Every structure is written in C-alpha cells, then in structure tokens.
Amino acid sequence: MSELTGRIAIVTGASRGIGRAIAERLGASGATVVCVARGENAAVTAAAISAAGGTAEAHGVDVTDPAGVEALVSGVLERHGRIDILVSNAGIARDQLMLRMKRADWDEVIATNLTASFTWCQAVLKPMIRQRAGRIVAISSVVGQMGNAGQANYAASKAGLIGFCKALAREVASRNVTVNVVAPGLIATDMTRAITDNAKADWSGQIPMGRMGAPEDIAAAVRFLASDEASYITGQVLAVNGGMYM
Ligand code: NAP
C-alpha cells in the first residue's frame, strides 16, 4: 500500500507545469487525485495518472468562480465522502512595471493567485475540520519573499498567500489540519518559457545551484507536506529555489 492510499486530493492548475507534476506525484503515491483546470485542460493529467496505474478525475473549473469551486467541492464530497489534501497551485503572471501596470492586470492576478485560495480553503475547511484531518498546501513564489521588478501584482499575491496560510494554520492546527506553503524559485514551465535566454542566464547567476528547477522538485516537496511524515509541520514556508533566496 502506498503512503497516500485512500486519500482524496484536489490539485488546482493541474493541466501542466508544476500542478501537473504535483498531481502525478500524489497519484503515484496512491491518492485519488481530482485534477482541476479550465475547460477540458486537466483531462490529459488525469489520463496520465490512470495510465500509470493511479486513480484520477478531471474537472473544468475556473478558480476565480466561487460557485464553480463550491460545486466541485460538493461533488467530490458526494462521490468520495471526504477531502484530505488541497493543493492550491493555479496561478498566473501579468508582468509590467508599476507605472504602466493596468488595474485589470492587478485585479486578475490577485483574484487568481490569492482570492481563489481563500475560496478553495473556505470550501474544504468544513469537511477537513469534521474529519479532524487535512493537509492544505499553497504554491507561493520566491518573488513573494524577495520581490521582483515588474511583478508588483504577482509579488503581492504570493506574499499575501504566505500571510494568509500562516493565519489559517493557527486557526485550524488544533483540528489536525495543517496549512503550509511551498515557495518555488525559477522553474522550467510554460510560465517561464517566455523569459529570454539572456534573462535566464541573469537569473541563473542569482541561483547558488546555477540552474532552474524542475516541476518535479516542487512536487516532491508537496508530496512530503501532504504525507503523514509532515504531521507536526504547519504554518511553514518551504523554499524550493536552489538557494536563490535564503
Ligand atoms: P503554468 O505552466 O502557466 O500553469 C498554470 C496552471 O494554472 C495551469 O494548469 C492553468 O490551467 C492554471 N490556471 C491559471 N489560471 C486559472 C484559472 N483561472 N482557473 C483554473 N486554472 C487556472 O504555471 P506553473 O509555472 O506551472 O505555475 C504553477 C504555480 O507555481 C503558479 O501558482 C505559479 O505562480 C507558481 N510558481 C511558478 C514558478 C515558475 O518559475 N514556473 C515559480 C514560482 C511560483 P489552464 O489549463 O486552465 O490554463
């Protein structure tokens, strides 16, 4: 029996990149994985988990739509009777220097990266508290810890997530629900594909390990925080960044 056998996990932003790697890792560890992205996008991840011998389902939900989130959570509870793990990973960047940043770019990033985590956590908390067990892991960013020019909206959303999770961790610790944050550094995904080679070289110069990370590096940290091995860890920020920010 694998360590997460019998656990029900929801992973948002599971269609590609870090979220897909997390979903596959949890699936390989025995969890039933509810893969969430917009439209049909998460189907490919659920199919990969099933092909590898795991159990998964795919759902099209826009994380900025509270009614869609609540309906998804109700459906999971009806089908499986419990929710053990929430990984709030879906995120976007709309980069621009502050003087040129449009209000819409601020609003969209805060809604997707921060407010959606509020919606998801509120939706899963009642069942987790009732179960007297739960694991919440939110995906922040090194940028939320150290800032980055051109990412005021993104940095605010990711720093906000850290404060949000620490507050929530204090509220629910006595119910055996842990709330932790993983803060990735520069990871090779669609989100970072647009960065020019020159800029990547600049960034890599700031990374003591001298290279970008892989989605699987983040997935391993999330798997740990979601497991029984991490049962006495809550309110923490686990940086997975090659030493970029210490
Ligand atoms: P990515 O490859 O661009 O994937 C983003 C994921 O989020 C996709 O699955 C996307 O699904 C989903 N998503 C975006 N908006 C959504 C919405 N409104 N509703 C539902 N799903 C939505 O990004 P990534 O690099 O894997 O990033 C994953 C997380 O890690 C993000 O929170 C990001 O901020 C964070 N992070 C990334 C890095 C990095 O270097 N890559 C570093 C630090 C932190 P669709 O198929 O619906 O588009």
Side-chain angles (χ1 to χ4, degrees), residues 82-128:
R82 54 188 300 117
I83 297 171
D84 300 288
I85 301 162
L86 168 69
V87 184
S88 184
N89 161 81
I92 56 167
R94 296 283 181 270
D95 299 349
Q96 187 55 270
L97 291 172
M98 186 62 185
L99 284 177
R100 289 196 215 125
M101 187 175 287
K102 298 211 163 41
R103 174 62 192 240
D105 293 334
W106 172 271
D107 289 343
E108 196 185 352
V109 167
I110 298 293
T112 307
N113 297 4
L114 181 58
T115 310
S117 284
F118 163 83
T119 310
W120 280 103
C121 288
Q122 213 166 41
V124 302
L125 266 184
K126 265 198 196 147
M128 285 184 175

XYZ file of all heavy atoms in Angstrom, residues 82-128:
373
model
N -15.022 12.526 1.500
C -14.000 13.229 2.277
C -13.064 13.995 1.344
O -12.990 13.724 0.144
C -13.191 12.254 3.118
C -12.575 11.097 2.341
C -11.945 10.061 3.252
N -10.877 10.643 4.058
C -10.906 10.725 5.391
N -11.908 10.254 6.054
N -9.892 11.266 6.055
N -12.334 14.932 1.913
C -11.250 15.623 1.190
C -10.068 15.692 2.146
O -10.171 16.256 3.239
C -11.667 17.046 0.761
C -12.839 16.980 -0.231
C -10.476 17.786 0.126
C -13.462 18.318 -0.542
N -8.962 15.086 1.769
C -7.799 15.020 2.656
C -6.739 16.061 2.336
O -6.037 16.522 3.242
C -7.160 13.615 2.553
C -8.152 12.543 2.959
O -8.447 12.442 4.162
O -8.667 11.845 2.071
N -6.590 16.368 1.045
C -5.478 17.218 0.622
C -5.992 18.254 -0.374
O -6.695 17.911 -1.327
C -4.377 16.362 -0.072
C -3.837 15.282 0.876
C -3.260 17.250 -0.615
C -3.092 14.145 0.155
N -5.647 19.516 -0.139
C -5.885 20.566 -1.144
C -4.539 21.172 -1.516
O -3.799 21.614 -0.632
C -6.782 21.676 -0.585
C -6.835 22.945 -1.461
C -7.568 22.687 -2.772
C -7.486 24.112 -0.709
N -4.221 21.177 -2.798
C -3.039 21.891 -3.275
C -3.523 23.048 -4.144
O -4.043 22.853 -5.243
C -2.083 20.983 -4.077
C -0.827 21.764 -4.454
C -1.730 19.731 -3.288
N -3.383 24.263 -3.609
C -3.821 25.459 -4.334
C -2.630 25.972 -5.134
O -1.753 26.652 -4.604
C -4.316 26.513 -3.333
O -4.826 27.613 -4.040
N -2.614 25.595 -6.395
C -1.439 25.835 -7.244
C -1.724 26.756 -8.418
O -0.811 27.439 -8.890
C -0.922 24.475 -7.748
C -0.034 24.612 -8.967
O 1.149 24.923 -8.848
N -0.596 24.404 -10.158
N -2.966 26.804 -8.901
C -3.255 27.585 -10.118
C -2.769 29.014 -9.946
O -2.993 29.633 -8.902
C -4.753 27.572 -10.397
N -2.098 29.532 -10.956
C -1.598 30.897 -10.838
C -1.256 31.473 -12.200
O -1.045 30.737 -13.170
N -1.222 32.795 -12.239
C -0.887 33.494 -13.485
C 0.056 34.650 -13.167
O 0.166 35.083 -12.011
C -2.138 34.082 -14.193
C -2.904 35.021 -13.238
C -3.044 32.979 -14.710
C -3.945 35.883 -13.933
N 0.735 35.141 -14.197
C 1.536 36.365 -14.076
C 1.084 37.333 -15.171
O 0.754 36.903 -16.283
C 3.017 36.035 -14.232
N 0.998 38.585 -14.849
C 0.716 39.647 -15.826
C 1.730 40.749 -15.535
O 1.416 41.738 -14.874
C -0.713 40.183 -15.659
C -1.815 39.181 -15.923
C -2.029 38.941 -17.429
N -3.105 37.987 -17.649
C -2.940 36.649 -17.730
N -1.733 36.122 -17.617
N -3.978 35.855 -17.936
N 2.972 40.545 -16.026
C 4.084 41.386 -15.589
C 4.092 42.750 -16.288
O 3.858 42.846 -17.494
C 5.417 40.680 -15.873
C 5.533 39.356 -15.115
O 4.698 39.096 -14.234
O 6.477 38.594 -15.411
N 4.425 43.768 -15.535
C 4.564 45.118 -16.075
C 5.160 46.006 -14.984
O 4.875 45.793 -13.798
C 3.175 45.643 -16.476
C 3.158 46.952 -17.197
C 4.041 46.962 -18.436
O 5.219 47.309 -18.345
N 3.497 46.567 -19.585
N 5.978 46.951 -15.389
C 6.473 47.911 -14.400
C 5.285 48.679 -13.822
O 4.293 48.926 -14.506
C 7.482 48.864 -15.036
C 8.817 48.196 -15.432
C 9.682 49.160 -16.222
C 9.553 47.673 -14.204
N 5.424 49.063 -12.576
C 4.311 49.645 -11.817
C 3.662 50.836 -12.531
O 2.435 50.950 -12.581
C 4.865 50.071 -10.451
C 3.849 50.559 -9.488
S 2.654 49.261 -9.099
C 1.566 50.232 -8.089
N 4.489 51.715 -13.112
C 3.911 52.914 -13.730
C 3.017 52.578 -14.913
O 2.146 53.352 -15.291
C 5.018 53.880 -14.164
C 5.656 54.676 -13.021
C 6.801 55.547 -13.544
C 4.625 55.546 -12.307
N 3.251 51.415 -15.511
C 2.463 51.030 -16.692
C 1.434 49.946 -16.386
O 0.682 49.547 -17.268
C 3.400 50.496 -17.785
C 4.244 51.564 -18.416
C 4.831 51.043 -19.733
N 6.161 51.603 -19.920
C 7.258 50.911 -20.127
N 7.207 49.612 -20.220
N 8.410 51.503 -20.280
N 1.448 49.460 -15.151
C 0.564 48.328 -14.849
C -0.905 48.764 -14.867
O -1.286 49.746 -14.240
C 0.902 47.736 -13.479
C 0.121 46.459 -13.185
S 0.629 45.701 -11.631
C 2.224 45.027 -12.070
N -1.695 47.980 -15.597
C -3.123 48.307 -15.671
C -3.836 47.734 -14.443
O -3.488 46.662 -13.953
C -3.737 47.689 -16.927
C -3.122 48.225 -18.211
C -4.129 48.246 -19.342
C -3.692 49.128 -20.492
N -2.269 49.046 -20.836
N -4.835 48.437 -14.000
C -5.621 47.988 -12.853
C -6.164 46.568 -13.093
O -6.200 45.730 -12.186
C -6.764 48.987 -12.615
C -7.769 48.608 -11.556
C -7.099 48.493 -10.190
N -7.990 47.874 -9.243
C -8.408 48.445 -8.122
N -8.008 49.651 -7.811
N -9.212 47.812 -7.317
N -6.555 46.300 -14.350
C -7.113 44.980 -14.670
C -6.069 43.877 -14.441
O -6.414 42.759 -14.032
C -7.593 44.949 -16.119
N -4.790 44.182 -14.703
C -3.737 43.178 -14.506
C -3.510 42.915 -13.015
O -3.196 41.807 -12.601
C -2.423 43.632 -15.158
C -2.549 43.672 -16.671
O -3.395 42.929 -17.210
O -1.822 44.454 -17.304
N -3.612 43.964 -12.212
C -3.543 43.796 -10.756
C -4.700 42.903 -10.289
O -4.505 41.900 -9.612
C -3.613 45.167 -10.080
C -3.747 45.083 -8.591
C -4.918 45.007 -7.881
C -2.681 45.023 -7.630
N -4.639 44.906 -6.528
C -3.276 44.922 -6.346
C -1.300 45.059 -7.723
C -2.545 44.850 -5.180
C -0.557 44.981 -6.547
C -1.177 44.884 -5.299
N -5.926 43.281 -10.704
C -7.121 42.571 -10.226
C -7.103 41.101 -10.631
O -7.440 40.222 -9.835
C -8.396 43.234 -10.778
C -8.664 44.578 -10.132
O -8.084 44.856 -9.063
O -9.443 45.370 -10.701
N -6.703 40.828 -11.870
C -6.743 39.448 -12.361
C -5.746 38.563 -11.604
O -6.049 37.417 -11.252
C -6.431 39.424 -13.864
C -6.820 38.118 -14.522
C -6.421 38.025 -15.985
O -5.964 39.033 -16.569
O -6.547 36.931 -16.545
N -4.564 39.109 -11.345
C -3.533 38.330 -10.642
C -3.944 38.089 -9.186
O -3.812 36.967 -8.672
C -2.159 39.033 -10.752
C -1.154 38.426 -9.788
C -1.642 38.924 -12.186
N -4.452 39.103 -8.524
C -4.887 38.923 -7.124
C -6.058 37.928 -7.064
O -6.109 37.053 -6.189
C -5.290 40.282 -6.485
C -4.097 41.246 -6.451
C -5.883 40.068 -5.090
C -2.949 40.849 -5.540
N -6.982 38.037 -8.008
C -8.151 37.132 -8.000
C -7.723 35.686 -8.203
O -8.214 34.772 -7.521
C -9.131 37.547 -9.095
N -6.796 35.445 -9.117
C -6.403 34.067 -9.456
C -5.446 33.493 -8.413
O -5.575 32.339 -7.995
C -5.713 34.030 -10.840
O -6.570 34.669 -11.786
C -5.427 32.609 -11.285
N -4.466 34.283 -7.993
C -3.388 33.741 -7.149
C -3.706 33.795 -5.659
O -3.167 32.992 -4.897
C -2.084 34.517 -7.384
C -1.574 34.397 -8.808
O -2.221 33.799 -9.663
N -0.421 34.982 -9.080
N -4.529 34.748 -5.244
C -4.766 34.924 -3.809
C -6.225 34.668 -3.415
O -6.505 33.815 -2.581
C -4.325 36.330 -3.379
C -4.475 36.668 -1.897
C -3.701 35.696 -1.013
C -4.013 38.104 -1.621
N -7.145 35.392 -4.041
C -8.550 35.263 -3.626
C -9.076 33.854 -3.897
O -9.872 33.319 -3.122
C -9.418 36.321 -4.337
O -8.784 37.594 -4.174
C -10.814 36.373 -3.753
N -8.608 33.233 -4.984
C -9.064 31.867 -5.278
C -8.634 30.902 -4.166
O -9.376 29.980 -3.827
C -8.520 31.402 -6.622
N -7.459 31.121 -3.579
C -7.029 30.249 -2.479
C -7.958 30.409 -1.279
O -8.274 29.429 -0.592
C -5.588 30.580 -2.059
O -4.694 30.050 -3.001
N -8.396 31.643 -1.023
C -9.388 31.882 0.038
C -10.643 31.051 -0.239
O -11.159 30.354 0.637
C -9.725 33.385 0.089
C -10.987 33.708 0.838
C -10.982 33.833 2.220
C -12.181 33.888 0.159
C -12.149 34.120 2.912
C -13.349 34.182 0.843
C -13.334 34.302 2.225
N -11.127 31.107 -1.485
C -12.354 30.382 -1.846
C -12.179 28.876 -1.646
O -13.023 28.212 -1.042
C -12.705 30.637 -3.331
O -12.685 32.040 -3.585
C -14.061 30.065 -3.683
N -11.066 28.333 -2.151
C -10.832 26.887 -2.038
C -10.703 26.466 -0.578
O -11.283 25.456 -0.154
C -9.552 26.483 -2.782
C -9.729 26.358 -4.253
C -9.330 27.250 -5.206
C -10.374 25.286 -4.968
N -9.679 26.794 -6.454
C -10.313 25.593 -6.336
C -10.990 24.098 -4.567
C -10.851 24.754 -7.315
C -11.528 23.270 -5.547
C -11.454 23.597 -6.898
N -9.919 27.227 0.185
C -9.709 26.845 1.583
C -11.019 26.891 2.347
O -11.318 25.969 3.136
C -8.672 27.760 2.240
S -7.010 27.441 1.636
N -11.832 27.928 2.114
C -13.098 28.001 2.835
C -13.985 26.813 2.472
O -14.669 26.259 3.322
C -13.805 29.325 2.533
C -14.585 29.820 3.716
C -15.020 31.250 3.579
O -15.445 31.675 2.499
N -14.936 31.993 4.651
N -13.920 26.400 1.203
C -14.773 25.297 0.758
C -14.345 23.952 1.365
O -15.194 23.115 1.663
C -14.756 25.211 -0.767
N -13.038 23.734 1.546
C -12.589 22.407 2.047
C -12.452 22.358 3.570
O -12.313 21.275 4.143
C -11.247 21.951 1.404
C -11.372 21.897 -0.110
C -10.090 22.824 1.843
N -12.476 23.505 4.224
C -12.192 23.517 5.668
C -13.212 22.746 6.490
O -12.846 21.989 7.386
C -12.119 24.950 6.176
C -10.726 25.569 6.217
C -10.806 26.945 6.843
C -9.739 24.699 6.969
N -14.509 22.951 6.171
C -15.540 22.269 6.987
C -15.347 20.766 6.968
O -15.286 20.148 8.036
C -16.942 22.650 6.497
C -17.525 23.807 7.273
C -19.018 23.868 7.074
C -19.497 25.230 7.530
N -20.624 25.710 6.750
N -15.259 20.131 5.782
C -15.030 18.675 5.809
C -13.726 18.301 6.496
O -13.678 17.298 7.229
C -15.022 18.273 4.330
C -15.033 19.530 3.539
C -15.547 20.608 4.428
N -12.665 19.064 6.318
C -11.388 18.706 6.966
C -11.506 18.803 8.486
O -11.005 17.948 9.218
C -10.264 19.604 6.465
C -9.795 19.254 5.056
S -8.392 20.266 4.557
C -7.997 19.512 2.966
